[in-house]
Amino acid sequence: MKERYIPIAGTIFVFIALFLTGGALYKHFLSTLVLGDLLADNAFIIIAAIGTTFVIISGGIDLSIGSMIGFVGVVMAGLVGHGWHPLAAAAAMIAFGVLYGGIVGWIIDICDIQPFIITLAGLFLLRGSCFMVSLDSVPIKHSFVDAFSAWRIPLPGSGFLTSSAIVMLLALLAGVVIAHFTRFGTNVYALGGDRTSAALMGVPIRRTTVMIYALGGFYSALGGVIYALYTASGYPLAGSGVELDAIAAVVLGGTLLTGGVGLVVGTLFGGLISGLIATIIDFDGTLTSAWARVVVGLLLFLFILAQRTLIGTRNALRQSIG
Amino acid sequence: MEDAVPRIAMVGVSKSFPGVRALESVDFCLRAGEVHALLGENGAGKSTLIKIMTGALRQDAGEIRIDGRPATLDSPAAARTHGISTVYQEVNLVPTLSVTKNLTLERQPRRFGLISWRDAAKRARERLARLSVDIDVERPLGAYSVAIQQLVAIARALEEDTRVLVLDEPTASLDAREVELLFQILRDLKRQNIAILFITHFIDQVYRIADRISVLRNGRLVRTAAAVELHRLELISLMLGRELEAVDSAPPPAAAPAAGEPLLAAEGLGRRRYMGVFDLVIRAGEVVGLAGLLGSGRTETAKLVFGAVRSDTGRVRFKGRPITARSPRRSVRLGIGFCPENRKAEGIISELSVRENIVLAMQTKRGWLRRLPVDEQNRLASEMINVLAIATSDAEKPVGQLSGGNQQKVILARWLASKPRLLILDEPTRGIDVGAHAEIVALIRRLCKEGMALLVASSELEEIVAVSHRVAVLRDRCHVGEIAGAGVTRENIVRMIAGG
Amino acid sequence: MSREHTNSVGLTAYPRAVLVRLAEKRAVWPLLALALILVVDGFISPEFFSIRIVEGHLFGSLVDVVYRSMPTAVVALGMAVVIGTKGIDLSVGAVIAICGAMITWRLHMGDPPLIVLGAALAAALLCGLWNGLLVALLDIQPIVATLILMVSGRGIAQMINLLYGGTDPSFSSDFFAAISTGHLAMLPSRLFVGAGIFALLWLLMRRTAFGLFVEAVGGNAAAADLAGIDAKMIKLAAYLVSGLCAGLAGVVITADTHTSDPVSAGLYIELDAILAVVIGGGSLAGGRVYLGLTLLGALIIQSLTTSILMSGVPPEYNLVVKALVVLIVLLLQSHKFRARIRRSARPAGKHLP
């Protein structure tokens, strides 16, 4: 097997093992119903995490996506309340996400500021803006929203593929194509692998950085739209902590936090792993949701440790040569 | 071909940086179909010359002619349009990307708007085939040995229209077999009438591959000659020369101390792919020099002795007792100091003040709990500023704002303040002006008279000869011999480096 | 050429030179910012500067600002040390939650207050140790290493709450009330806790060589190593300090709310703490620790919040204003940004490629 597929194989293995464990422990677990719900419930996180995957592969980090999801939700609710069609509102919000991300990327590049601190400021800004728009949960009432949540494709067995899951899978497909079959995607990997070399090899650093964060903004805004449609409401606290879930999904998906290495499709499985842990805890009934965070944290630790050892041996090798 | 117009000619090219004259009216020419070796120690001006030739820097004065016509190389892109390709010393590729991606980064073949990786891989294999390299192009570049990475870098640099290939120390991390592979490729390229500029510090390799040799020293081109006409001894002498009367006229070192108990004895010290196994003995009151060409293992020896790089064989005794668990920390506690060659990266802490930089090593020796009182720190700092004549407005100035020579003195002060038994100096006078140079040489002698032992690595033979009681001579990362007492002369060292 | 240079050379510009020298003092800008905010506050509310004595306690808006800023300030002090080593500690909020759960659990178990306090701080130190081990020994980047505890810490706090049934995570304890919301010699007692940890850290940083070593490791790790500094131990110690500070803040916050709230205790406090360090002039690139200025930074953040609340602007604007402040401070600190401004301020026609 090729080196680049080892991490993703590990991720898929963990996912299958967890799924089978659930099946062994609880009745009715091994079903398309559970699988369909898993995809539907985690769709918005995974969508947002796809954008984070690009950011992390480029060697950056984005901490503002949770706030973006909340912001998109409340503004969408407001716009629909003012008579906008939900789709128009969604398009406006996605355009906003792209613009916002682009500006963030531009600031990161021209000012040479660490991404984590600038996106931290973004976290404040967007969450504060949520509260400025609305303090309470605002329902989104529109026939389209009802149709969106009602529409689903039946799966063999008793499960369904909901519309949000379908959007997520399409977004994933787009992400895979961008990452692996466009020059921009290749540039993202080059930037994360070695910024100086990439610049010497002719990668346009500023344009690529702006595009990376714009893409991140696109995906987090899309995640916000899906979350708003899924819950049929805009809530100013929505998406709190989702940035961490997204980063966890990316890391569990086998992407190196040091940048340069990772697969977009891994993020799907990474997101599903955390979702699966929550589902198992749900099925158990005796465990609390506290377990989910702890187990995700533990898995995160193990994955980072595994990455560390992989890189460690490679560096040791290089050092003994150089 | 001898009389043909040179492919690149540099006429009277000069380049200065603030405080440094990097190149001084250099006349240099590179002919089609030749391998031209460029030699010189660190700071001789090699990299400046390459950067001007490849458009990364512009000369202050002088002219560049390509095929006899004046040309302006004001950007790397401009150099490339003239067919000049460069492979830098550090492999400037992205190790996490696949070989294919590295070879096709700025122009991937597309089908229906999307990249066709099958075509890209095919193109990558073709480019590698030109160098007779056959590897799995889908694997990440970092998975391959440095030699293969180097070849991929050459493959990337070689365009269809490449007429000049500049190789900056391509063999620095290759083993003998890999070097031979590279040389075969170079000979092949030479037959295609490509002009090759080959920067290296391995004398043996120069004579195996080069048609002509140029030597740079202190920014001047001191000699260009056909390889067959330039004797090995002469070449080394040219590289290691120095025109400083201040040092040459100084009196010879005091008599070596009687062969007493060694202060430090390294036995069979070495590290695989880093430095060959060596023994080294240093006695109190003795100055031991480390002489050799660039890349011969001077810095490597110093770092292994200090414990900055972990050895994988051998051991070190200090005052007769073996040192266990060697590390810089352990060495400092025992009373060993180390002034590194690269003061910016490994020496100064530029945000901290002159005072804080000076007391640092002494403070680590005392431990974090026994902080040196401020009065004492101030006294020590002003004493050191006086003794070493460090040019600074006051002791609280951030050391990063000082000039290079003064930074070097601050690091020296750091170690002197800690009163070491043994001080290891790696290139103590690099980048220092003439006056300060003589001062430091005088200081080394005085310290030694006071009973301190010194290990001095230097690229300047005159300096080594002026201060050393004994000299360990290095070649290709091996200790090849030792010279002591009256035998420490320039001629003897050069002969030993040359392998005579 | 830099502005400072030309000004300090020109003798005719002597008064300006004095100003420039003043501007170079690090404390000036944060102090000016604080003064500005306070003056604005004075205009908004004429009673802002009045301090009365009510029931033997000092009472007034200024006291309130200091009182409220204390937990953030304490966390920020620890953060300043970690940032000094070129690190970051994102887990402080989670550590506060864990501390709260520890206090509630042990109180429910009937331990005496001092033992409870010890247990809470021990838990915080353990968290610091964990972060420190990941960063120093396993060499994981600080953002990533502390992210792990940030993700799972609140879950751990929830699980601690389960240890005693977790039905009612509130408690009442005179001891804890006394150290958080009580008074001592007319002043809120938590100010003494804050002053105590500040004094302790100041002694550690400025009266032992620890501060020098932290700044050396953060400034140039390779040089510090060659000078014989044990960088691993220094980093480990820095995260322990940060853990301890977060623990103390956790004690004060939990004692104030009389309850363990794993979800929202200390939420976003890591951001405020980092912000306080940055406002105080600490660079995220490490190498310098300014404890006093960090304290000033925390005060600025709190007085900003207070003035937003007082001015009648909805409190929701607080986060937005804070975000804008971070952005401005970051831009002002960015060398590249300053160089850009300077270049565009130059006469036109001298554009470099």
Side-chain angles (χ1 to χ4, degrees):
Chain A
M1 188 161 42
K2 300 228 165 87
E3 289 97 325
R4 57 186 300 214
Y5 298 123
I6 292 174
I8 180 86
T11 304
I12 294 177
F13 173 78
V14 170
F15 174 73
I16 293 174
L18 272 174
F19 206 58
L20 292 179
T21 312
L25 288 174
Y26 315 107
K27 262 193 217 167
H28 313 303
F29 194 93
L30 286 179
S31 66
T32 52
L33 185 68
V34 171
L35 195 66
D37 282 352
L38 194 63
L39 289 170
D41 294 343
N42 295 288
F44 76 101
I45 294 185
I46 293 173
I47 291 173
I50 295 167
T52 310
T53 313
F54 281 94
V55 172
I56 289 182
I57 287 174
S58 81
I61 201 143
D62 188 351
L63 297 178
S64 63
I65 50 180
S67 304
M68 177 65 95
I69 288 172
F71 183 73
V72 165
V74 288
V75 176
M76 241 180 97
L79 290 176
V80 173
H82 279 83
W84 286 49
H85 189 276
L87 274 181
M93 291 325 291
I94 288 173
F96 167 78
V98 170
L99 186 71
Y100 167 86
I103 293 172
V104 168
W106 185 70
I107 293 177
I108 288 173
D109 189 74
I110 64 156
C111 298
D112 206 12
I113 296 179
Q114 290 168 337
F116 102 88
I117 185 85
I118 196 97
T119 56
L120 209 61
L123 187 159
F124 272 125
L125 190 72
L126 290 173
R127 186 63 74 194
S129 309
C130 289
F131 294 133
M132 283 164 65
V133 174
S134 161
L135 282 177
D136 306 302
S137 181
V138 183
I140 304 179
K141 285 190 192 127
H142 194 280
S143 55
F144 172 79
V145 179
D146 301 332
F148 181 82
S149 37
W151 192 77
R152 50 189 56 188
I153 300 174
L155 289 172
S158 51
F160 295 98
L161 207 55
T162 63
S163 38
S164 47
I166 292 168
V167 173
M168 183 264 280
L169 291 174
L170 289 176
L172 181 79
L173 186 69
V176 170
V177 170
I178 294 171
H180 304 302
F181 295 99
T182 66
R183 178 171 300 166
F184 164 72
T186 314
N187 287 348
V188 174
Y189 281 89
L191 200 61
D194 190 328
R195 202 182 139 90
T196 325
S197 293
L200 278 170
M201 289 162 82
V203 172
I205 302 289
R206 174 161 313 161
R207 201 175 73 208
T208 309
T209 308
V210 169
M211 282 171 74
I212 288 165
Y213 285 87
L215 193 67
F218 169 81
Y219 273 107
S220 49
L222 183 63
V225 166
I226 292 302
Y227 187 72
L229 292 176
Y230 183 62
T231 58
S233 68
Y235 179 48
L237 275 172
S240 290
V242 164
E243 56 276 347
L244 297 183
D245 295 331
I247 293 170
V250 173
V251 174
L252 295 183
T255 297
L256 289 192
L257 271 165
T258 42
V261 178
L263 294 173
V264 172
V265 72
T267 301
L268 169 70
F269 289 98
L272 289 180
I273 286 175
S274 8
L276 204 50
I277 292 167
T279 310
I280 288 177
I281 285 161
D282 226 28
F283 258 74
D284 186 272
T286 59
L287 297 169
T288 65
S289 60
W291 278 96
R293 301 234 97 178
V294 177
V295 173
V296 168
L298 199 68
L299 274 178
L300 205 54
F301 170 65
L302 290 176
F303 268 72
I304 290 172
L305 201 63
Q307 293 182 354
R308 194 68 239 168
T309 7
L310 277 176
I311 299 172
T313 46
R314 198 186 294 162
N315 281 355
L317 202 74
R318 201 170 296 157
Q319 205 173 36
S320 72
I321 292 165
Chain B
M1 207 191 288
E2 281 288 311
D3 301 321
V5 180
R7 181 141 290 171
I8 294 187
M10 298 175 112
V11 185
V13 167
S14 298
K15 176 78 192 172
S16 296
F17 298 106
V20 196
R21 196 138 173 82
L23 283 183
E24 231 173 314
S25 68
V26 166
D27 295 320
F28 175 78
C29 74
L30 185 63
R31 298 177 187 145
E34 77 166 345
V35 175
H36 194 135
L38 183 64
L39 291 103
E41 287 288 316
N42 274 340
K46 286 177 298 183
S47 49
T48 310
L49 188 128
I50 301 168
K51 281 182 182 156
I52 289 174
M53 191 180 280
T54 56
L57 282 178
R58 280 204 74 173
Q59 72 271 25
D60 298 337
E63 193 181 50
I64 299 174
R65 294 193 197 122
I66 294 176
D67 297 324
R69 280 185 299 277
T72 318
L73 301 175
D74 52 2
S75 71
R80 253 187 312 244
T81 54
H82 281 104
I84 301 170
S85 304
T86 321
V87 179
Y88 290 100
Q89 179 177 12
E90 304 284 321
V91 179
N92 268 313
L93 300 177
V94 182
T96 51
L97 289 185
S98 71
V99 174
T100 303
K101 285 186 179 176
N102 268 298
L103 283 173
T104 58
L105 192 61
E106 62 301 44
R107 39 179 164 247
Q108 297 97 343
R110 294 166 188 237
R111 267 187 199 172
F112 315 114
L114 296 179
I115 296 173
S116 160
W117 288 115
R118 197 138 51 101
D119 292 355
K122 196 167 141 243
R123 196 181 289 179
R125 273 191 290 267
E126 284 166 8
R127 293 187 89 160
L128 286 169
R130 233 178 125 184
L131 304 179
S132 334
V133 177
D134 184 19
I135 53 173
D136 179 359
V137 290
E138 297 302 323
R139 292 184 67 193
L141 182 75
Y144 289 103
S145 70
V146 182
I148 297 290
Q149 295 188 30
Q150 194 72 257
L151 292 178
V152 174
I154 295 175
R156 192 184 143 80
L158 273 184
E159 307 278 343
E160 288 302 318
D161 58 352
T162 292
R163 305 166 71 227
V164 176
L165 183 62
V166 179
L167 297 169
D168 188 2
E169 303 225 10
T171 57
S173 39
L174 307 190
D175 67 23
R177 202 167 38 90
E178 294 161 343
V179 169
E180 194 42 51
L181 176 68
L182 178 71
F183 282 0
Q184 269 171 26
I185 290 165
L186 291 189
R187 286 186 198 109
D188 190 44
L189 293 174
K190 200 168 99 174
R191 273 195 291 278
Q192 298 172 28
N193 220 20
I194 290 175
I196 299 168
L197 182 62
F198 179 67
I199 291 94
T200 187
H201 51 251
F202 293 110
I203 301 288
D204 288 343
Q205 292 176 6
V206 169
Y207 284 101
R208 266 168 54 206
I209 187 81
D211 303 305
R212 291 199 303 156
I213 299 172
S214 286
V215 179
L216 275 173
R217 198 174 70 212
N218 296 330
R220 291 196 191 144
L221 191 94
V222 291
R223 183 79 174 270
T224 296
V228 286
E229 289 165 10
L230 189 62
H231 192 264
R232 186 179 285 252
L233 271 181
E234 201 186 341
L235 173 62
I236 293 168
S237 198
L238 279 174
M239 289 172 67
L240 296 177
R242 175 145 183 130
E243 311 97 49
L244 277 181
E245 276 72 38
V247 177
D248 287 20
S249 61
E261 266 296 293
L263 179 67
L264 178 137
E267 296 158 8
L269 213 56
R271 183 184 167 92
R272 216 169 62 85
R273 299 206 84 156
Y274 183 75
M275 183 70 208
V277 171
F278 64 90
D279 295 331
L280 192 68
V281 169
I282 307 167
R283 297 182 180 82
E286 186 183 36
V287 180
V288 177
L290 289 174
L293 296 170
L294 182 68
S296 60
R298 296 184 311 234
T299 299
E300 286 79 357
T301 303
K303 285 197 168 176
L304 281 172
V305 169
F306 183 62
V309 170
R310 204 165 288 173
S311 55
D312 54 17
T313 56
R315 61 175 177 173
V316 175
R317 286 167 179 279
F318 193 72
K319 288 192 254 176
R321 273 197 300 271
I323 313 178
T324 50
R326 292 193 320 118
S327 69
R329 192 171 129 79
R330 183 103 176 82
S331 297
V332 171
R333 296 244 158 152
L334 285 169
I336 306 174
F338 175 56
C339 291
E341 177 185 17
N342 188 344
R343 62 175 163 255
K344 198 133 218 142
E346 300 179 325
I348 60 160
I349 295 158
S350 51
E351 296 279 301
L352 294 187
S353 68
V354 173
R355 169 180 59 84
E356 286 168 314
N357 269 283
I358 288 177
V359 300
L360 197 60
M362 181 183 211
Q363 189 62 66
T364 46
K365 232 172 148 180
R366 289 169 68 100
W368 68 276
L369 269 176
R370 292 171 53 228
R371 177 170 175 269
L372 201 66
V374 178
D375 292 348
E376 191 64 16
Q377 291 192 16
N378 286 332
R379 197 191 56 71
L380 201 63
S382 56
E383 183 192 327
M384 282 301 160
I385 290 173
N386 280 335
V387 170
L388 296 178
I390 299 170
T392 174
S393 52
D394 64 300
E396 298 306 314
K397 198 171 180 178
V399 82
Q401 296 177 8
L402 267 52
S403 74
N406 283 302
Q407 291 179 358
Q408 178 74 355
K409 286 183 186 171
V410 169
I411 302 169
L412 209 55
R414 173 190 297 168
W415 291 109
L416 293 183
S418 78
K419 301 204 164 47
R421 309 290 300 269
L422 166 65
L423 187 54
I424 302 169
L425 304 174
D426 193 2
E427 295 289 351
T429 57
R430 162 130 340 124
I432 281 186
D433 59 62
V434 180
H437 185 274
E439 282 169 31
I440 285 181
V441 168
L443 181 76
I444 290 174
R445 287 187 180 156
R446 205 184 71 220
L447 292 172
C448 152
K449 210 172 280 168
E450 287 166 7
M452 192 186 288
L454 289 116
L455 180 64
V456 181
S458 174
S459 58
E460 287 161 19
L461 273 191
E462 274 73 10
E463 185 175 299
I464 293 275
V465 170
V467 300
S468 307
H469 298 112
R470 201 146 50 79
V471 175
V473 180
L474 307 140
R475 186 176 61 221
D476 294 344
R477 310 206 167 195
C478 279
H479 282 221
V480 290
E482 260 189 31
I483 308 172
V488 178
T489 61
R490 198 192 145 82
E491 292 68 35
N492 284 343
I493 296 174
V494 168
R495 203 168 298 137
M496 200 173 256
I497 290 174
Chain C
M1 274 294 110
S2 72
R3 193 166 42 104
E4 298 91 287
H5 186 69
T6 47
N7 278 347
S8 57
V9 168
L11 278 173
T12 47
Y14 181 71
R16 270 177 71 201
V18 172
L19 278 181
V20 166
R21 192 151 333 137
L22 198 67
E24 277 170 1
K25 289 257 185 271
R26 264 176 228 97
V28 165
W29 292 112
L31 275 176
L32 273 179
L34 184 61
L36 185 74
I37 296 168
L38 292 182
V39 166
V40 170
D41 286 346
F43 278 112
I44 296 170
S45 155
E47 285 177 16
F48 187 79
F49 294 106
S50 76
I51 291 177
R52 301 183 305 275
I53 298 178
V54 178
E55 294 170 19
H57 307 321
L58 283 182
F59 192 81
S61 298
L62 285 178
V63 180
D64 193 57
V65 166
V66 180
Y67 177 84
R68 284 177 196 276
S69 69
M70 182 269 176
T72 309
V74 170
V75 173
L77 288 176
M79 189 70 80
V81 176
V82 169
I83 288 179
T85 65
K86 215 173 193 164
I88 197 89
D89 187 352
L90 295 180
S91 70
V92 283
V95 173
I96 286 171
I98 290 176
C99 249
M102 278 302 281
I103 292 172
T104 319
W105 173 45
R106 290 325 300 173
L107 280 176
H108 275 255
M109 291 326 222
D111 284 353
L114 276 177
I115 301 283
V116 174
L117 181 67
L121 294 181
L125 279 172
L126 202 65
C127 292
L129 181 69
W130 164 262
N131 286 332
L133 286 176
L134 293 192
V135 173
L137 291 188
L138 295 180
D139 212 14
I140 298 174
Q141 319 115 274
I143 295 183
V144 178
T146 55
L147 188 75
I148 296 172
L149 193 57
M150 190 189 185
V151 169
S152 53
R154 293 184 185 277
I156 293 173
Q158 281 174 306
M159 289 167 81
I160 293 173
N161 275 340
L162 293 176
L163 291 174
Y164 57 91
T167 44
D168 178 21
S170 67
F171 62 86
S172 72
S173 157
D174 293 340
F175 172 79
F176 280 100
I179 56 172
S180 175
T181 51
H183 283 75
L184 192 69
M186 292 174 70
L187 286 169
S189 52
R190 66 164 70 171
L191 298 192
F192 292 94
V193 178
I197 187 76
F198 177 77
L200 205 69
L201 282 181
W202 189 84
L203 286 176
L204 179 69
M205 296 301 288
R206 297 290 168 240
R207 282 290 167 266
T208 74
F210 182 71
L212 177 65
F213 290 174
V214 163
E215 294 180 337
V217 168
N220 185 342
D225 180 55
L226 285 183
I229 296 173
D230 191 343
K232 286 191 165 88
M233 288 310 289
I234 296 295
K235 283 185 189 165
L236 188 67
Y239 286 91
L240 281 175
V241 166
S242 174
L244 182 70
C245 287
L248 273 175
V251 169
V252 169
I253 290 174
T254 311
D256 196 354
T257 57
H258 307 291
T259 182
S260 158
D261 182 356
V263 177
S264 58
L267 193 65
Y268 295 144
I269 201 168
E270 57 276 353
L271 312 187
D272 279 350
I274 294 169
L275 180 53
V277 176
V278 172
I279 291 178
S283 157
L284 288 173
R288 274 300 187 188
V289 180
Y290 307 116
L291 292 178
L293 290 176
T294 301
L295 224 47
L296 203 55
L299 280 177
I300 290 176
I301 296 173
Q302 186 56 49
S303 51
L304 202 63
T305 310
T306 304
S307 44
I308 290 169
L309 292 177
M310 277 192 336
S311 62
V313 176
E316 300 78 56
Y317 284 70
N318 192 5
L319 277 174
V320 175
V321 172
K322 256 193 229 173
L324 293 177
V325 171
V326 190
L327 266 176
I328 292 166
V329 173
L330 283 176
L331 290 185
L332 288 179
Q333 280 193 357
S334 156
H335 294 292
K336 232 172 146 180
F337 182 73
R338 274 193 282 189
R340 185 170 274 270
I341 295 290
R342 218 170 284 151
R343 216 182 309 151
S344 56
R346 245 189 252 153
K350 269 193 87 178
H351 275 288
L352 293 169

